[in-house]
């Protein structure tokens, strides 16, 4: 059915979205981030999350961004937090400082090895050994909502998809409320994963992580490191457009729109967008999903 003649996606079952940002490094990046937040906020996301740099490198900046979201917006912020290179005491201190700042949602992660992706992961001797331990630790500190990661194409370090799903089960048993997936481009991969996760007795929402391909080469490089596959059809769509930013952007919007609309048609109503701190593509895709600002909803 052509897009224009489809019924409003909001009418049948409300679409819920969340947006992921990273903490800005420079004043210029800060301006971009806050103008993106301002643009996306009226769409009333379920939550907005702020990532935690590898090895805790953005600890202060993540905290500052999340705290400002609490102070200056009506959004519900979620702080990402990893176990890497920190004692339990240090991590617990960060969690408590979030509680004191009014934050009630943490995205709990193991984090990448200190030596970078591809090197062996060594938990800190006095730190949280596994993500499930971090989840339990956060829940013991306060009544936080806790989200965790999920990998439809398997985490690169996992010996098998079943083993990776066992790790997810451990996080759910420790109290995780929601899992957000690594990005993927083949929706069948997500649904096959969902079947296996449900068969394993996991019943929390497994929210698809959607990445609008702002820069194909960058996305392909990142995908190679994280075990996400790039279908040949996707590479073909961007082939030869290295110097043509405008067409790349139009294709990126079309690709993400096709993906989310197919997911909605197959019963998915929650989406997590990796925004890369840029609002325009995500905003357009959310409008295609039927999301509108409160003012527009009232006027309609
Ligand atoms: P888990 O789900 O706990 O484990 C994944 C796999 O890693 C397991 O199946 C197992 O094979 C292996 N593994 C886990 N624990 C151990 C262990 N102790 N020893 C040996 N192997 C082990 N990274 C950041 O640094 N900051 C972020 O803000 C961030 N946000 C993310 C958000 C989402 C939605 C996703 C999907 C990923 C994010 N990441 C982030 C990346 C994540 O930290 C890495 O993928 C990391 O390598 C695994 O962390 P995890 O919590 O996903 O691991």
């Amino acid at each position: 059915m052509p897009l224009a003649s489809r019924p409003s996606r909001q009418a049948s079952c409300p679409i819920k979205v969340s947006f992921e940002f990273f903490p800005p490094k420079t004043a210029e990046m800060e301006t971009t981030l806050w103008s993106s937040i301002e643009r996306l906020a009226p769409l009333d996301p379920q939550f907005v999350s702020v990532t935690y740099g590898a090895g805790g490198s953005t600890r202060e900046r993540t905290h500052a961004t999340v705290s400002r979201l609490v102070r200056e917006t009506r959004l519900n912020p979620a702080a990402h937090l990893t176990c890497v290179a920190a004692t339990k005491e240090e991590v617990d201190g960060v969690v408590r400082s979030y509680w004191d700042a009014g934050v009630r949602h943490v995205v709990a992660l193991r984090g990448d090895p200190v030596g970078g992706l591809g090197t062996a992961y060594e938990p800190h001797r006095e730190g949280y050994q596994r993500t499930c331990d971090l989840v339990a630790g956060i829940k013991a500190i306060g009544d936080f909502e806790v989200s965790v990661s999920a990998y439809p194409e398997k985490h690169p370090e996992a010996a098998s998809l079943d083993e990776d799903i066992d790790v997810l089960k451990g996080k759910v048993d420790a109290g995780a409320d929601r899992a957000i997936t690594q990005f993927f481009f083949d929706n069948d991969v997500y649904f096959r994963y969902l079947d296996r996760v449900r068969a394993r007795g996991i019943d929390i929402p497994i929210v698809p992580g959607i990445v609008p391909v702002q820069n194909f080469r960058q996305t392909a490089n990142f995908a190679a490191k994280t075990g996400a596959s790039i279908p040949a059809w996707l590479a073909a769509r961007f082939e030869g457009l290295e110097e043509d930013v405008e067409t790349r952007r139009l294709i990126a919007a079309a690709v993400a729109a096709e993906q989310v609309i197919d997911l909605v048609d197959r019963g998915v109503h929650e989406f997590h967008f990796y925004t890369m701190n840029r609002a325009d593509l995500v905003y357009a895709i959310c409008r295609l999903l039927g999301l509108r600002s409160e003012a527009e909803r009232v006027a309609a």
Side-chain angles (χ1 to χ4, degrees):
M1 194 193 291
L3 261 183
S5 55
R6 285 165 190 255
S8 157
R9 273 151 229 292
Q10 287 251 282
S12 46
C13 185
I15 301 284
K16 295 180 194 167
V17 295
S18 52
F19 303 127
E20 181 172 311
F21 301 100
F22 60 85
K25 253 191 200 155
T26 62
E28 195 187 341
M29 286 164 86
E30 177 133 10
T31 307
T32 307
L33 168 68
W34 287 95
S35 72
S36 299
I37 291 172
E38 218 168 282
R39 183 139 174 77
L40 293 170
L43 297 175
D44 195 21
Q46 230 185 338
F47 64 92
V48 296
S49 78
V50 182
T51 61
Y52 200 66
S57 55
T58 66
R59 184 164 151 172
E60 278 77 28
R61 278 185 282 131
T62 301
H63 199 285
T65 307
V66 172
S67 303
R68 185 169 164 193
L69 281 163
V70 174
R71 283 195 316 272
E72 296 182 17
T73 74
R74 290 165 54 200
L75 296 165
N76 173 19
H80 291 221
L81 183 60
T82 72
C83 312
V84 176
T87 64
K88 261 189 206 179
E89 212 179 341
E90 285 165 341
V91 172
D92 288 355
V94 175
V95 175
R96 283 197 195 92
S97 69
Y98 278 126
W99 184 268
D100 294 342
V103 179
R104 296 291 180 266
H105 185 168
V106 176
V107 181
L109 302 142
R110 184 199 73 175
D112 285 322
V114 178
L117 285 167
T119 64
Y121 180 77
E122 282 287 338
H124 190 289
R125 237 174 343 120
E126 293 163 38
Y128 284 107
Q129 301 297 295
R130 298 166 307 168
T131 317
C132 59
D133 304 322
L134 174 62
V135 172
I138 295 167
K139 288 278 184 182
I141 290 172
D143 188 17
F144 284 99
E145 186 175 352
V146 177
S147 296
V148 293
S149 65
Y151 297 88
E153 298 183 82
K154 181 179 95 58
H155 185 274
E157 288 171 50
S160 67
L161 188 56
D162 282 336
E163 187 193 289
D164 207 21
I165 293 173
D166 285 343
V167 170
L168 176 61
K169 178 81 166 79
K171 297 187 285 191
V172 175
D173 290 346
D177 302 288
R178 163 194 305 98
I180 301 167
T181 76
Q182 183 59 279
F183 65 83
F184 58 89
F185 295 103
D186 178 349
N187 288 348
D188 289 343
V189 165
Y190 168 78
F191 287 109
R192 280 198 295 271
Y193 177 71
L194 202 58
D195 285 347
R196 287 170 77 157
V197 163
R198 297 294 182 234
R200 184 72 182 79
I202 295 168
D203 57 6
I204 60 168
I206 308 290
V207 181
I210 305 293
V211 66
V213 183
Q214 320 256 5
N215 178 325
F216 178 73
R217 206 174 291 161
Q218 223 173 51
T219 306
N221 286 341
F222 191 62
K225 288 183 192 150
T226 56
S229 59
I230 299 284
W233 59 261
L234 184 65
R237 285 185 183 183
F238 286 98
E239 204 177 302
L241 295 176
E242 289 75 12
E243 308 303 324
D244 186 349
V245 181
E246 191 64 19
T247 309
R248 278 205 326 252
R249 286 171 49 71
L250 292 169
I251 291 178
V255 165
E258 269 174 27
Q259 181 178 19
V260 294
I261 285 165
D262 180 60
L263 287 166
V264 172
D265 286 346
R266 295 164 79 176
V268 176
H269 298 105
E270 277 187 67
F271 298 92
H272 182 77
F273 287 97
Y274 296 107
T275 69
M276 311 295 174
N277 291 5
R278 308 229 159 240
D280 46 3
L281 284 182
V282 174
Y283 185 76
I285 296 157
C286 287
R287 283 197 67 94
L288 283 174
L289 284 170
L291 294 179
R292 297 291 181 269
S293 69
E294 198 180 341
E296 285 175 293
R297 286 197 301 273
V298 169

